[in-house]
Amino acid sequence: MTAADTVAAPAAPSAEDPSGGAASGGPAAARRSPGGSRSRLSLWVPPLVVLGVIIAAWYFVSLVVLGRRNYLLPPPHTVIAESFLDTSILVDILDATWRTSQVALAGLGAAIVIGVIWAIAMSQARWVERSTFPYAVLLQCTPILALVPLIGFWFGYDFLARTIVCVLIALFPMVSNTLFGLQSVDQAHRELFALQGAGRGTVLAKLELPAALPAIFAGMRISAGLSVVGAIVGDFFFQRGTPGIGALLSKYVNRLEGAHLFGAIIAAALLGVVIFGLFGLIAKAAIGRWYDFA
Amino acid sequence: MTMTARKPGTRTAPPPAPAGATAPAPAASRTRLLDFTDVAMTFANGTTALSGVDLTVDAGEFVTVVGPSGCGKSTLLRIASGLESASAGRVDVRTDRIGYVFQDATLLPWRNVRANVELLAELQKEPKAERARKAQEAIDLVGLSGFERNLPKELSGGMRMRTSLARSLTLDPQLFLFDEPFGALDEITRERLNDELIRLFTEKRFAGLFITHSVSEAVYLSTKVVVMSGRPGRIVKTFDVPFDMPRNPDIRFTPEFAELTGEVSHALREGHR
């Protein structure tokens, strides 16, 4: 969980009303302590200190240890100047990042749709779970890198193949989280519905799916990070069409352009953080009203 | 697990009475709503939960079952509601309007109070306006007006249980089953809810079957107290409670009340040996 999650989570679910009566005021009021800004500060300061230490170590290795060979690790200001302040390089990096995010989001979208539908099918019919879940696990255990050449061989070396790599990498967390969410519905809730003679479709729509949403969103966040990995791996293997940041990374390595390489790596890292954070925000907007993210 | 869902449809119920207006006809007050004859329950794993249970609940009665933990009290309710079927004996439930209040409030956390209370009518596929009307009536009845838009996590335990009660009230039950609903609440909240329940009982005239392990709660709430033995659960003794309904909270401090609770406790201890 990110720092932002921890900050935003309400301290306690409610003001308990020991009388059980309805006389007390709105229980949703006054949750955050007056010392909130101070605790916010204490959340941000430690990681910033670590960042300072990392940058200092970076300078030390780059300038003192490596000295003239510091093309292997250019100092931070050189990285910023040569990759982010040089417009032509910055445009290259941003373009590549944009193409990578398109592949990652397409793959993630497909993984979410396939994963949720697959999990629903398994939760509805035992035999589907028995017969197909082992293959979901197998997919998770197989090093996807071993499949990547085959995917290119079958689907070409273009956008489609790169997206398929993303789907294969991002699928399992969606399937397993959704299935877990659907199956961990409280037994008393199931009985509540059964007593009214509710059918399977009703139970799925009004009980199981809403109850599974926190698990589904947790799966989405994991899959979102993995789909960025998948998109970059796809770039390394499939260079046809308009590959993204992976291709740029190989190019900079081949040309020994250390500063540009680090710029591209930072862009890839930021992309991952942004997509992860984006899905955190989506989850919070969708279910944060009733679900407390720990 | 297997469960037998009660099928809706064959509802012979009269139209719901407007709140607090009409009392049911006196003829109906002797209707036997629940009739268990020699009921036994043995689970698939060989555990015998109940054996030879005879139990009746008539209209106008509030029957409380007390017994040690694990004696099959809850199984009794699960059989009465149709969640489980008895493995032997005769079970007659002569109404389809059954309210069931679980041990926990079992509210759906993503629904606010109003939407939770509307749930059962929604599952019965009642029209929107109708279920909104019933929900509002039930919410007012349990004293949750003004909290319709609050989520369960914003409510206290007592208020959650009131929401759960309101949810069952929308069914206008003739037979109300309670599975230790107030066990997790503190003493003050529990006593308040006991009085609320008595008020609802005298107003709505449902028959009640209430499970608890608190002897004083049992005596205070009910017209009849049934004492069960430890596993396999049998009924060891039945007491009629003579006090007037609605109960005056102060009867708890009378010698008569103390004497009756004493006798029930004694029977409970006997049965537990």
Side-chain angles (χ1 to χ4, degrees), chain A residues 14 18 20 22 27 191 196 206, chain B residues 78 122 124 143 153-154 162 189:
Chain A
S14 71
E191 290 175 351
Q196 303 309 317
K206 299 199 174 188
Chain B
R78 299 174 62 81
E122 191 181 318
Q124 294 290 345
K153 69 167 185 176
E154 298 163 345
R162 281 167 195 265
T189 309

Side-chain angles (χ1 to χ4, degrees), chain B residues 98-165:
Chain B
I98 300 179
Y100 194 111
V101 179
F102 292 85
Q103 236 160 16
D104 300 313
T106 60
L107 304 177
L108 302 179
W110 53 89
R111 285 178 175 237
N112 63 23
V113 167
R114 184 198 302 281
N116 262 299
V117 174
E118 276 188 22
L119 177 72
L120 303 187
E122 191 181 318
L123 293 178
Q124 294 290 345
K125 308 213 163 51
E126 290 192 26
K128 237 181 176 163
E130 182 64 8
R131 64 194 198 221
R133 187 189 64 73
K134 284 184 177 178
Q136 193 57 55
E137 194 184 307
I139 288 169
D140 294 343
L141 206 56
V142 300
L144 279 178
S145 320
F147 289 85
E148 288 89 347
R149 300 173 68 89
N150 282 86
L151 288 166
K153 69 167 185 176
E154 298 163 345
L155 303 176
S156 68
M159 289 163 92
R160 274 182 225 149
M161 199 35 91
R162 281 167 195 265
T163 311
S164 184
L165 277 175

Side-chain angles (χ1 to χ4, degrees), chain B residues 221-244:
Chain B
L221 275 181
S222 30
T223 59
K224 193 165 95 181
V225 176
V226 172
V227 178
M228 282 182 77
S229 69
R231 184 176 289 165
R234 286 169 300 103
I235 289 173
V236 291
K237 209 156 185 183
T238 302
F239 297 87
D240 284 315
V241 184
F243 311 119
D244 289 338

Side-chain angles (χ1 to χ4, degrees), chain B residues 35-262:
Chain B
D35 196 347
F36 277 23
T37 317
D38 201 20
V39 167
M41 184 68 180
T42 306
F43 290 110
N45 63 11
T47 317
T48 303
L50 297 171
S51 81
V53 171
D54 296 308
L55 179 71
T56 60
V57 180
D58 292 349
E61 274 193 314
F62 199 104
V63 179
T64 295
V65 179
V66 282
S69 321
C71 74
K73 307 185 291 278
S74 296
T75 309
L76 218 54
L77 282 199
R78 299 174 62 81
I79 293 171
S81 67
L83 281 175
E84 278 178 58
S85 329
S87 38
R90 255 175 72 88
V91 175
D92 271 325
V93 183
R94 300 202 186 93
T95 175
D96 259 354
R97 277 158 51 200
I98 300 179
Y100 194 111
V101 179
F102 292 85
Q103 236 160 16
D104 300 313
T106 60
L107 304 177
L108 302 179
W110 53 89
R111 285 178 175 237
N112 63 23
V113 167
R114 184 198 302 281
N116 262 299
V117 174
E118 276 188 22
L119 177 72
L120 303 187
E122 191 181 318
L123 293 178
Q124 294 290 345
K125 308 213 163 51
E126 290 192 26
K128 237 181 176 163
E130 182 64 8
R131 64 194 198 221
R133 187 189 64 73
K134 284 184 177 178
Q136 193 57 55
E137 194 184 307
I139 288 169
D140 294 343
L141 206 56
V142 300
L144 279 178
S145 320
F147 289 85
E148 288 89 347
R149 300 173 68 89
N150 282 86
L151 288 166
K153 69 167 185 176
E154 298 163 345
L155 303 176
S156 68
M159 289 163 92
R160 274 182 225 149
M161 199 35 91
R162 281 167 195 265
T163 311
S164 184
L165 277 175
R167 181 177 64 192
S168 290
L169 281 170
T170 59
L171 295 173
D172 193 22
Q174 279 189 308
L175 178 63
F176 224 134
L177 309 172
F178 301 90
D179 188 4
E180 288 186 48
F182 309 143
L185 303 176
D186 61 272
E187 191 68 20
I188 301 166
T189 309
R190 176 193 275 237
E191 284 183 7
R192 267 206 186 201
L193 281 171
N194 283 347
D195 287 329
E196 293 275 324
L197 193 54
I198 287 172
R199 183 177 59 81
L200 290 172
F201 170 70
T202 47
E203 255 176 52
K204 303 294 264 183
R205 299 303 188 110
F206 49 76
L209 181 56
F210 191 100
I211 306 291
T212 182
H213 49 238
S214 157
V215 172
S216 67
E217 181 176 63
V219 173
Y220 185 69
L221 275 181
S222 30
T223 59
K224 193 165 95 181
V225 176
V226 172
V227 178
M228 282 182 77
S229 69
R231 184 176 289 165
R234 286 169 300 103
I235 289 173
V236 291
K237 209 156 185 183
T238 302
F239 297 87
D240 284 315
V241 184
F243 311 119
D244 289 338
M245 282 280 185
R247 296 275 145 86
N248 177 349
D250 286 336
I251 61 155
R252 287 196 184 91
F253 313 115
T254 60
E256 293 84 357
F257 188 88
E259 192 184 335
L260 189 51
T261 31

